[in-house]
Amino acid sequence: MSNYDSAKVAKIHHHLHSHLPSEPALRVKALESLLVEKGLVNSQTIDAWVEAYSEEIGPKRGARVVAKAWTDPAFKARLMDDGTAAIDELDFVGNATAHLKAVENTGSVHNLVVCTLCSCYPFALLGVAPNWYKTAAYRSRAVRDPRGVLQEFGVNIADDIEVRVWDNTAELRYLVVPQRPAGTEGLDEEALTGLVTRNAMIGTDRKFSATATGTS
Amino acid sequence: MDGPHDLGGKEGFGPVVTDEADTPFHHDWEGRMWGISRSGAGAPGVTIDWWRHVRELIDPVDYLTRPYFDSWAQTELATYINAGVITLDEVRSGHSATQKDREARVQSVAEAIAQDASQGTDFSRIIDAAPALKVGDHVRTLEFTQQHHTRLPGYARGKPGLIHAHHGAHIFPDESAKGHEMGQHLYSVVFDAKNLWPEAGDKRDRVYLDLWESYLEPL
């Protein structure tokens, strides 16, 4: 059984620092080999999970939720009221999405999501988090210099727009609902899904193109 | 704990590298680590909060310099070692010293997707205590916190905020990280950026955190 002793774990980390190979690929391989030998993981199953999160579970799900919110006012109302119940209608509830909150961008508000303490992310809805989301640079600066961070993504926020930063300190996960781009009035839900970028749903994209392909 | 993980507001990390390939995994080993984490049995007694705490306890130099999924590998290994499932000798030799007494599940992609759908873990709990705070209340966060795991970041300690929403009671991470499950009222608390950062000036920007009742005192 586990104990919950910080000092003991600090010692374990110290030993691992000395005894594990330096190369990340070799460290992960060492872990996989031991767990396979002990019957705790299966390598084919690992393959299946890689494929699941490469092909099926990813930002396209979130994009579809946003596109549906743009085209179906009743769905949007349900999404804003109870994000988890709304995405459950599309069977998108799963890992880290049982407490989903949708936050909406408007002409006067821009939302940005971060996890300063680890890298919490709504996996079942947006897939594996991008690297930048997990970096010290993003985690340290998104709360303190959100406008500067957004500029690095090519997003300039006018002074009269309020920036709201959502730090994922609990098990709630946040989905930014971006504004529907101008000139998309004739597009249906499927076409709109193709426009929504992953970054727009985290808040590091704001005014994306009405024609470019969004997330894949 | 006041560890290297508590990054909010720290300076000196430079620009965010925004151009990266739009793929979930950038190296095979990242995918392997993801699959291990999602499909593995996990060490006995591990809660999500203990797992986070074990990651926080990685040597600060390693925490800040090694790749993200590499820290997952070290965390996963440390939890198994701590629980006595894997020994340091086995890590050194690279082989299990015991015969396996079980077979891991073989899952197809469809089964993995179905399992993911069942892993929308509900962290809310029904508790007897009524919420001590309500939407619109002015609060101040604790100035200090404990040495073990907590989810009150350093940058938001001792700061005035406003209750923006009440989420009901959720599992309290500071206790969950010690293996005790208890519910406590959880609130979304909004802070004016100018109360957190000296350079925020007159901007109307705000920072929202989800904080448990015991992190807060009424103002």
Side-chain angles (χ1 to χ4, degrees):
Chain A
M1 264 316 276
S2 292
N3 55 66
Y4 302 91
D5 180 346
S6 305
K8 184 185 167 202
V9 168
K11 277 187 202 155
I12 291 170
H13 280 310
H14 184 77
H15 287 297
L16 290 174
H17 179 92
S18 311
H19 294 295
L20 281 177
S22 163
E23 185 62 36
L26 297 177
R27 293 153 76 94
V28 173
K29 196 173 175 189
L31 173 65
E32 182 178 339
S33 301
L34 282 170
L35 294 177
V36 166
E37 284 188 25
K38 288 185 180 290
L40 293 167
V41 300
N42 175 283
S43 292
Q44 276 173 265
T45 303
I46 294 172
D47 295 339
W49 277 90
V50 171
E51 194 177 330
Y53 265 85
S54 299
E55 305 297 330
E56 295 286 336
I57 305 174
K60 190 118 190 165
R61 285 182 166 188
R64 193 164 150 224
V65 169
V66 169
K68 192 171 173 63
W70 284 345
T71 52
D72 180 346
F75 177 78
K76 185 183 168 189
R78 295 197 295 278
L79 178 68
M80 301 313 295
D81 179 55
D82 183 342
T84 300
I87 67 167
D88 195 29
E89 296 175 24
L90 300 169
D91 290 330
F92 291 164
V93 175
N95 186 15
T97 52
H99 303 285
L100 186 77
K101 281 271 179 202
V103 290
E104 188 183 8
N105 285 351
T106 67
S108 57
V109 171
H110 184 81
N111 293 282
L112 181 69
V113 180
V114 64
C115 172
T116 63
L117 292 172
C118 43
S119 294
C120 296
Y121 196 69
F123 299 120
L125 190 62
L126 298 183
V128 176
N131 269 349
W132 57 259
Y133 184 84
K134 300 174 277 202
T135 59
Y138 183 75
R139 287 167 52 194
S140 62
R141 292 179 53 219
V143 282
R144 182 162 186 167
D145 182 24
R147 289 165 187 268
V149 167
L150 285 164
Q151 267 183 1
E152 285 160 21
F153 282 90
V155 179
N156 291 303
I157 301 291
D159 284 348
D160 59 349
I161 294 176
E162 174 187 325
V163 176
R164 296 179 182 169
V165 182
W166 300 85
D167 189 355
N168 287 215
T169 43
E171 298 303 337
L172 280 88
R173 298 291 169 267
Y174 290 87
L175 171 73
V176 177
V177 180
Q179 289 176 282
R180 182 170 174 167
T184 59
E185 293 73 16
L187 300 184
D188 64 9
E189 185 184 314
E190 191 182 341
L192 289 167
T193 299
L195 300 183
V196 182
T197 62
R198 177 198 58 206
N199 286 7
M201 295 181 280
I202 307 172
T204 55
D205 193 2
R206 181 170 169 89
K207 282 193 174 150
F208 40 94
S209 163
T211 50
T213 41
T215 187
S216 52
Chain B
M1 67 176 276
D2 289 322
H5 68 285
D6 191 358
L7 284 165
K10 296 290 193 300
E11 298 182 272
F13 289 102
V16 179
V17 177
T18 60
D19 54 334
E20 62 179 72
D22 194 13
T23 53
F25 308 111
H26 302 276
H27 303 281
D28 285 348
W29 64 266
E30 293 183 341
R32 303 311 291 169
M33 189 57 236
W34 177 260
I36 291 168
S37 169
R38 304 300 297 124
S39 72
V46 170
T47 63
I48 191 167
D49 297 296
W50 170 242
W51 197 94
R52 286 185 183 131
H53 187 52
V54 171
R55 183 162 172 250
E56 292 163 4
L57 287 162
I58 291 175
D59 177 279
V61 173
D62 286 344
Y63 187 95
L64 292 172
T65 56
R66 299 195 62 90
Y68 178 74
F69 278 117
D70 180 89
S71 78
W72 278 33
Q74 182 154 339
T75 302
E76 196 76 1
L77 204 41
T79 58
Y80 278 111
I81 293 168
N82 182 56
V85 176
I86 291 174
T87 66
L88 279 167
D89 282 341
E90 289 174 324
V91 173
R92 283 188 203 103
S93 75
H95 290 287
S96 175
T98 55
Q99 294 291 319
K100 65 177 154 186
D101 56 5
R102 70 194 104 184
E103 285 294 337
R105 270 176 310 183
V106 180
Q107 286 182 310
S108 66
V109 177
E111 286 166 339
I113 292 166
Q115 187 184 318
D116 192 88
S118 74
Q119 287 174 332
T121 309
D122 182 357
F123 290 87
S124 68
R125 293 293 181 270
I126 304 291
I127 61 171
D128 291 337
L133 300 161
K134 62 182 187 304
V135 172
D137 281 357
H138 291 269
V139 294
R140 183 180 295 279
T141 50
L142 297 186
E143 185 80 47
F144 301 106
T145 180
Q146 54 157 324
Q147 291 180 300
H148 206 270
H149 184 66
T150 183
R151 295 292 284 184
L152 175 60
Y155 77 85
R157 293 186 198 153
K159 304 292 185 188
L162 192 73
I163 302 292
H164 167 73
H166 173 226
H167 302 308
H170 278 221
I171 293 175
F172 182 49
D174 304 44
E175 287 299 318
S176 165
K178 297 172 184 164
H180 308 138
E181 183 183 306
M182 56 173 272
Q184 190 184 114
H185 287 290
L186 176 70
Y187 306 88
S188 172
V189 184
V190 54
F191 298 86
D192 287 339
K194 62 178 183 287
N195 288 331
L196 300 176
W197 317 114
E199 67 277 15
D202 58 357
K203 289 203 182 63
R204 291 182 298 141
D205 298 349
R206 296 191 166 105
V207 182
Y208 294 74
L209 286 79
D210 291 314
L211 300 174
W212 279 265
E213 195 165 271
S214 61
Y215 298 165
L216 306 169
E217 50 194 25
L219 260 188

